[in-house]
Each structure stands twice: as C-alpha cells, then as structure tokens.
Amino acid sequence: MRRETLKRLLDARAARRALVLVTRLDGGGEEIISPGSIDKGHPQISEITACLRTGRGKIVETGAGELFLQPFLPAPRLMIVGATHIAQVLVRLAREVAIEPFVIDPRTAFATTERFGDAKLIPKWPGEALGELGLDARCALVCLAHVPDIDDEALAAALRSDCFYLGALGSVRSHERRLERLKARGFGEEECRAVHAPIGLDIGSVTPSEIALSIIAEVVAALRAGAGADGGR
Amino acid sequence: MSAALQTAQAWLDEGREVVLATVVETWGSSPVPAGGHLVIDDRGDFAGSVSGGCVEAEVIARAQDIIASGRPELLEFGVADETAWNAGLSCGGRIRVFARKLE
C-alpha cells in the first residue's frame, strides 16, 4: 500500500468521510473511491454501493483477477444526554466496543471532569451541543437526564436526524407522557416509534452499571443490524 | 480498524518499515471479519489482529520476507493446511490474508 493511501484513509476517518479501498490481490495495486464522486460507469459500482451500505468488505472476481473492496466508514458515536451515574459507566463501555462517547448536559454540576475523566463533555443544552457536533447515520443518541426539558430537546434533534439508534430512559408510564410532549412538539406517532423506551435490552438490570450494560448491548445490536453481522471495522 | 492503521502511520513516522496485513476472506468460524488489520514492523512488533491469535505468529514471520522483497503476498490459513499444527485455526475456520509493505 502506498503511504499516500494510508494517509488518505486516516484523513477521511478523522473528517468522518466514508471511503471504499479497492485492492488488487494479485499485485497490490489500489484505488480509493469516495461515494460523493463515484463514477456511475465503474465496473464494480453495485458491489461498491453494497459495501458502503453494509460496512462489510468483499472479494470481487474480475477477468483481470480478484479485487478486495473494503469500506471505511466513520467511527460510530454515542451521544449521551444527561451526565448521570449510568452515563459514567456507559462512557467506559462504549469505548470498550470502539464507539466514541460524548456527554452532553447543561447542568455544569453534573458534567464535570471529576466525574467523567477525559471523556468529551459538552456542558450545553442538547439543541446547541448536537447542532455543533452533528448527528449522522453513524451516531446513536441516548437520553438519560430524566429531566423532560433536557431529554425532549435532544429527542427532537435526534428524531430529525439519520442517527441509527435513539433511546430514552424511563418507565413505560413516563414514556407515555414523553410521547404526549413529543406530539405537542409536532412529531407523529409513527416517527416516535424510533425511540427505544424503556431503554436497553431486557436483562433484568437493577444497578446503574447493569442498566448501562443493557443500553450498550442494544446500541451494538442496532449498529450491527444496519451494518451486517461483521461490518464496520 | 483505525487503531492499527494509526499505529502503522506512527511507526512510518518513526522511520520503521511496516507491513499491513488485512483479512480479505473468511469461511466458517473466525473471530476477525474481512477488513481486520494486523500491522507488523521490521523488528517484529505488531498491533491489531487477523485471527483469535492462532495465525498471527506465521503472518509476523512472513512479514519479514515481505519487508525484504517488497512484494505483496496472499496468505491462506485453515485446518487443512500443512502448517496446521503451527498456524492452523483451531476453531475450524479458514481465512485469507493479504499482506503488503507500506511504501
């Protein structure tokens, strides 16, 4: 691989741009394809498009030998709204599964480095914070503040985005009240089904750590459902 | 994926010679999917993985030849290989790994 190719892959990763690397397995020649400027007449167009969708690498046989198509997708991110005890654990679990966590909470007493170490903390209201960070198809968002003003603002932003997972902490009853508030903000019943609530896989979680574990498991399930069983590396 | 590639870049910046090995195909049970990376330098230091640990040693050894020759290699590992006792996949899977020098 040329050093220039490696640099372009790393630059794209840092800028959250998707790319497909095409490598000739007989001699190592390579080509980088960006989805924005893809030639519609490219002989492997359908395989390249599929790669970008599933996140899975694939070998393609051609008359001139085998090609390996490898998608490089932006790193998944987890926006954690509410700098709570569950969030403290969730930050660690997210990093462990290579999902980059961000903690958003306008309450500066909660969003402290003392509680979150070197995690990325944004002590702002979710609307402003998410506007700055951006929510793309490789982002998940969880609402843990349990304060309607904070959570609802984040949910409204996420419902208008392409994020791959959206969850909110709270019982069935508190979720019913949340849905009423979202309706008042103009969201339809169908749209609101995107919100996973009660949040997390049902593993009978009791403690904040167990709840964080159930949440990260549900986020990974959503990520892999979209990217395929072994995608996104 | 980015951790191993970032390591490769850091090693290049230090003037080391580096081979990038990528899983390109898997059959059956294998813990690292297509696209997984192992990077190896001229001293045999390595980062990342192409399997659960069963074939890494073989890839690291072959990487030294690739650093010397500059020629990429397509390596295949599986239980049916003659190297099975040294570098076979105990899990019963089979993988192909493309290894090339960064230059």
Side-chain angles (χ1 to χ4, degrees), chain A residues 152-227:
Chain A
D152 291 1
E153 188 175 304
L155 283 174
L159 283 169
R160 290 189 201 100
S161 79
D162 292 333
C163 65
F164 73 85
Y165 174 88
L166 176 49
L169 186 74
S171 65
V172 172
R173 284 205 45 206
S174 73
H175 186 56
E176 279 167 12
R177 291 194 293 273
R178 176 185 295 127
L179 290 177
E180 290 305 317
R181 297 194 304 272
L182 287 173
K183 269 179 208 150
R185 282 175 178 252
F187 292 101
E189 207 175 317
E190 197 58 38
E191 283 175 282
C192 291
R193 280 191 223 282
V195 183
H196 288 79
I199 197 170
L201 294 187
D202 185 3
I203 54 170
S205 306
V206 175
T207 66
S209 297
E210 291 170 1
I211 294 166
L213 180 65
S214 77
I215 294 171
I216 201 69
E218 193 169 64
V219 170
V220 169
L223 178 66
R224 294 310 184 186

Side-chain angles (χ1 to χ4, degrees), chain A residues 1-4 6-7 9-10 13 21 23-30 55-59 61 66 68 70 72-73 230-233, chain B residues 1-2 5-6 8-9 12-13 16-17 20 22-26 31-37 49 72-74 96 98 100-103:
Chain A
M1 179 185 282
R2 293 189 298 272
R3 290 176 185 229
E4 171 64 21
L6 175 62
K7 191 169 179 309
L9 294 176
L10 290 171
R13 181 85 170 175
L21 172 66
T23 306
R24 294 180 59 101
L25 295 184
D26 57 356
E30 64 213 7
R56 272 185 285 191
K58 179 178 191 324
I59 287 197
E61 309 271 354
E66 287 180 311
F68 180 56
Q70 184 173 12
F72 288 82
L73 302 181
D230 56 6
R233 292 232 178 184
Chain B
M1 75 94 202
S2 72
L5 294 188
Q6 273 160 358
Q9 183 63 57
L12 288 174
D13 292 344
R16 306 197 210 176
E17 301 207 88
L20 171 64
T22 305
V23 178
V24 295
E25 201 164 17
T26 67
V32 178
H37 294 300
S49 61
E73 279 192 51
L74 190 56
R96 286 207 296 164
F98 185 68
R100 71 288 215 195
K101 190 174 173 182
L102 287 162
E103 50 198 355

Side-chain angles (χ1 to χ4, degrees), chain B residues 74-99:
Chain B
L74 190 56
L75 311 170
E76 186 166 339
F77 301 95
V79 284
D81 280 4
E82 58 185 29
T83 56
W85 291 106
N86 309 322
L89 292 169
S90 54
C91 40
R94 201 148 65 89
I95 61 170
R96 286 207 296 164
V97 174
F98 185 68

